[in-house]
Amino acid sequence: MYRFQGLSDFEYQLTLRTDLYTNKHTQWYYFQVTNTQAGRPYRFTIVNFTKPTSLYNHGMRPLLYSEAEAKIHKVGWQRTGDAIRYYRNNLSQDGHQYFSLTWTFQFPHDRDTCYFAHCYPYTYSNLQDYLSAIARDPKRSKFCKIRILCQSLARNIVYVLTITNPLQDFQEEKHKAAVILTARVHPGETNSSWMMKGFLDYILGDSDTARLLRDTFVFKVVPMLNPDGVIVGNYRCSLAGRDLNRTYRSDLKESFPPVWCTRTMIKRVMEERSVLLYCDLHGHSRKENVFMYGCEKREQQEEGTSLHQRIFPFLMSKNCPDKFSFPDCNFKIQKGKEGTGRVVMWKMGISNSYTLEVTFCGSKLGDNGSHFNTKDLESIGYHFCDSLLDFCGEKKNKFNECLKELEDMMKQEDPVAAINDSFDKDSR
């Protein structure tokens, strides 16, 4: 938070700090309110958003955490707020128009300490606590090795996890394909960390599916690519003042160590074994549902011959029908996205290279309601594992069913392609 101005006893105007060493990227907020008065309507207005549209005009509400509610009723983060509006205001800077988010709220307790946030927080300390618990667990630590990938510009550790059930036969071990997952290259997209937590909870669990996946694959996981940005409260950039998900082609190791070391690690993995799939986890600020971005050559799209890259997202839509929307997926490589992890890994030779996007709001599918909670976000990680098994399983029943359905779909023109293209300025 850059500025907190009281307009009256119960009305406050807030100005967000831009990402450090930039003059933009105001989306994420997380602030504290103390000495509250119960039953009085407060108004909060954030005045320097830069995106012209927002999910706040489509039912999204701010998150609230009340220390008193947590202590008395064991209630955690909850969506709240009334009279919510997101609108163009009369402020601008350097030719950039600003937009406001405003809402009202009545605090339930006197002299409470409360917090408002854009999305469920997930901090670097949360990750370190999670990894420490794995390292202390004599069972999980046998098949999950936690190593240092590199240090960030601020000397924070970027971790890499190797997850697999060791095999006695070294030659058989070498034939395991790799699956690579990364998250939190954009620090304000905390929902991606909750998806990652769900994936790790599942793949490190005792279920038959988890054991089979560990027997079949070597998982390389970088759960937090941009710890510096997370720690200082940035929304999109690193301490270099750059969006790290536009720097995967860069050779500047000193400027972008997490990305450079991730790309180098993946190249080394590709020399040792085949890589079945790469997926980078993100949050999306303008679209609802869960969906994926993939990569296809233009001639494949024109000829209608590109099905392979669409099968895994289609499986996700079957396994997660109340959250994942296949029509929201897009497989075009947009101009300006050549430096993203998804595109660079695809050009390196990983044909199944994706960005998995989850909305900051919720799903328009089924009876899911307007907002995802942390359990919803974690469940997407579970479904990722189920889809992976369907994608590579021996029987291939679901795979073949989806392939046939995709073939029928490809014969028809996609009516949502133009709509999806209009949102892809937000794609990863």
Side-chain angles (χ1 to χ4, degrees):
M1 190 66 62
Y2 174 68
R3 185 183 300 117
F4 197 90
Q5 181 181 1
L7 303 181
S8 69
D9 288 344
F10 303 101
E11 183 172 0
Y12 297 90
Q13 181 173 290
L14 299 82
T15 304
L16 300 179
R17 174 183 61 76
T18 59
D19 281 8
L20 289 181
Y21 312 117
T22 78
N23 61 357
K24 53 185 178 180
H25 303 304
T26 51
Q27 180 78 26
W28 164 258
Y29 60 87
Y30 182 19
F31 63 91
Q32 180 189 78
V33 181
T34 61
N35 197 30
T36 60
Q37 293 186 42
R40 300 296 298 268
Y42 286 75
R43 176 173 292 279
F44 300 93
T45 304
I46 301 173
V47 298
N48 65 326
F49 287 107
T50 56
K51 293 186 177 182
T53 60
S54 173
L55 290 169
Y56 285 108
N57 279 338
H58 297 276
M60 182 168 160
R61 305 172 78 192
L63 276 163
L64 171 81
Y65 183 92
S66 160
E67 290 188 357
E69 284 290 290
K71 183 177 181 180
I72 299 169
H73 301 297
K74 310 298 182 185
V75 174
W77 288 97
Q78 52 188 325
R79 296 286 180 175
T80 191
D82 298 302
I84 299 168
R85 289 181 58 224
Y86 187 93
Y87 59 94
R88 177 174 177 165
N89 59 37
N90 59 2
L91 303 174
S92 63
Q93 183 175 343
D94 300 326
H96 297 290
Q97 177 65 48
Y98 283 137
F99 297 81
S100 291
L101 168 67
T102 187
W103 71 94
T104 61
F105 181 68
Q106 295 187 35
F107 293 100
H109 302 281
D110 286 321
R111 294 179 293 280
D112 193 6
T113 296
C114 295
Y115 303 85
F116 286 103
H118 182 59
C119 190
Y120 303 97
Y122 193 99
T123 66
Y124 185 55
S125 296
N126 292 146
L127 175 65
Q128 289 180 308
D129 291 344
Y130 186 88
L131 298 182
S132 295
I134 295 172
R136 292 192 305 267
D137 187 327
K139 188 173 183 179
R140 290 186 295 173
S141 60
K142 288 181 179 179
F143 52 77
C144 179
K145 304 301 179 184
I146 303 168
R147 299 289 184 263
I148 297 174
L149 177 68
C150 65
Q151 290 185 320
S152 66
L153 291 180
R155 315 301 291 175
N156 292 303
I157 295 173
V158 179
Y159 297 95
V160 59
L161 283 57
T162 302
I163 303 169
T164 192
N165 284 339
L167 299 179
Q168 297 287 341
D169 189 328
F170 178 71
Q171 291 300 320
E172 191 175 346
E173 181 77 28
K174 285 175 60 177
H175 288 126
K176 285 185 178 181
V179 175
I180 299 167
L181 277 82
T182 59
R184 212 66 184 277
V185 69
H186 294 148
E189 295 169 6
T190 57
N191 40 4
S192 71
S193 282
W194 289 102
M195 281 196 296
M196 176 62 80
K197 180 182 180 298
F199 166 80
L200 290 173
D201 285 348
Y202 190 107
I203 205 67
L204 297 174
D206 292 327
S207 70
D208 291 341
T209 301
R211 284 194 291 268
L212 180 56
L213 286 170
R214 296 195 302 266
D215 286 339
T216 307
F217 298 111
V218 175
F219 293 90
K220 290 285 187 177
V221 180
V222 184
M224 191 172 286
L225 277 162
N226 191 352
D228 293 351
V230 171
I231 290 168
V232 302
N234 279 2
Y235 173 63
R236 198 168 182 91
C237 295
S238 71
L239 291 187
R242 294 281 297 278
D243 179 348
L244 289 181
N245 202 33
R246 298 297 183 271
T247 65
Y248 273 88
R249 293 187 297 177
S250 173
D251 291 324
L252 299 177
K253 178 182 179 181
E254 294 77 12
S255 298
F256 317 117
V259 162
W260 189 94
C261 290
T262 297
R263 186 185 66 192
T264 301
M265 178 268 290
I266 294 173
K267 285 181 177 179
R268 187 167 58 249
V269 171
M270 294 176 72
E271 292 171 356
E272 298 171 353
R273 62 184 77 245
S274 64
V275 176
L276 177 73
L277 184 144
Y278 163 89
C279 189
D280 191 23
L281 278 51
H282 284 266
H284 203 287
S285 66
R286 296 202 296 157
K287 290 173 68 172
E288 293 170 284
N289 304 322
V290 184
F291 50 95
M292 296 180 88
Y293 293 116
C295 300
E296 291 175 348
K297 294 180 180 178
R298 184 182 299 273
E299 56 267 27
Q300 288 179 307
Q301 294 169 346
E302 292 172 352
E303 295 170 4
T305 59
S306 175
L307 288 179
H308 191 272
Q309 289 87 349
R310 301 187 181 212
I311 294 175
F312 186 82
F314 199 58
L315 286 165
M316 282 286 293
S317 73
K318 296 297 184 182
N319 288 325
C320 191
D322 60 334
K323 299 179 182 68
F324 193 101
S325 170
F326 185 75
D328 283 325
C329 296
N330 200 317
F331 301 90
K332 295 180 180 179
I333 300 175
Q334 301 292 328
K335 185 178 180 181
K337 306 297 190 260
E338 292 86 355
T340 62
R342 165 175 59 98
V343 176
V344 170
M345 300 310 156
W346 178 68
K347 290 185 175 180
M348 281 169 47
I350 303 175
S351 59
N352 300 300
S353 185
Y354 304 105
T355 299
L356 176 58
E357 300 274 356
V358 61
T359 179
F360 281 101
C361 189
S363 171
K364 296 186 291 185
L365 309 172
D367 300 322
N368 206 57
S370 60
H371 292 93
F372 289 154
N373 57 35
T374 56
K375 294 301 180 185
D376 292 322
L377 298 172
E378 290 174 15
S379 74
I380 299 164
Y382 309 158
H383 293 305
F384 185 95
C385 295
D386 290 333
S387 301
L388 193 58
L389 200 59
D390 292 332
F391 190 58
C392 65
E394 291 183 3
K395 294 183 179 180
K396 293 274 187 178
N397 292 342
K398 201 163 188 177
F399 180 100
N400 291 329
E401 290 174 6
C402 288
L403 180 60
K404 178 63 169 64
E405 194 170 342
L406 275 173
E407 288 173 346
D408 294 338
M409 289 173 59
M410 289 289 283
K411 295 175 183 177
Q412 305 174 15
E413 184 178 356
D414 185 359
V416 299
I419 298 173
N420 284 341
D421 286 349
S422 71
F423 283 103
D424 279 346
K425 288 183 180 180
D426 223 11
S427 67
R428 304 309 181 217

